[in-house]
Amino acid sequence: MTTITFDTLKFANTLKAAGVPPAQAEAEAVALSEVLEVNLKDLVTKENMHHEMRDLEQRLIIKLGTLIAVAIGIVAALVKLL
């Protein structure tokens, strides 16, 4: 799983340097860190995406093969009847 390092101390210090009160700066750093952690859990990695795409491709190939086989069977039955 991909991880991103978020430096809450550096973020809080940057806010403090900009004039944000220390308690508010620290609270914003913690809140942003939690938001990033929660949202990153839902991200898809390239590896996961490629795996899912391969699975979808295989399922599509099987369904199309089945459809072609059924169509050939129907055409063969119609030719035999006529």
Side-chain angles (χ1 to χ4, degrees):
M1 171 146 221
T2 303
T3 59
I4 294 179
T5 304
F6 178 69
D7 189 350
T8 55
L9 179 60
K10 182 178 178 183
F11 183 75
N13 288 338
T14 302
L15 292 176
K16 290 175 193 175
V20 176
Q24 181 180 348
E26 291 168 10
E28 287 183 23
V30 170
L32 183 56
S33 175
E34 290 173 359
V35 167
L36 289 173
E37 182 180 330
V38 169
N39 288 337
L40 289 176
K41 290 179 183 176
D42 295 332
L43 290 179
V44 176
T45 63
K46 284 184 180 181
E47 184 178 320
N48 291 343
M49 181 63 82
H50 288 299
H51 179 69
E52 290 298 321
M53 292 296 287
R54 279 192 303 264
D55 288 349
L56 288 172
E57 184 179 15
Q58 288 174 350
R59 288 174 30 205
L60 181 60
I61 289 169
I62 290 169
K63 287 182 180 186
L64 286 174
T66 303
L67 180 64
I68 290 171
V70 169
I72 290 172
I74 291 172
V75 169
L78 289 174
V79 167
K80 191 174 185 179
L81 289 175
L82 298 176

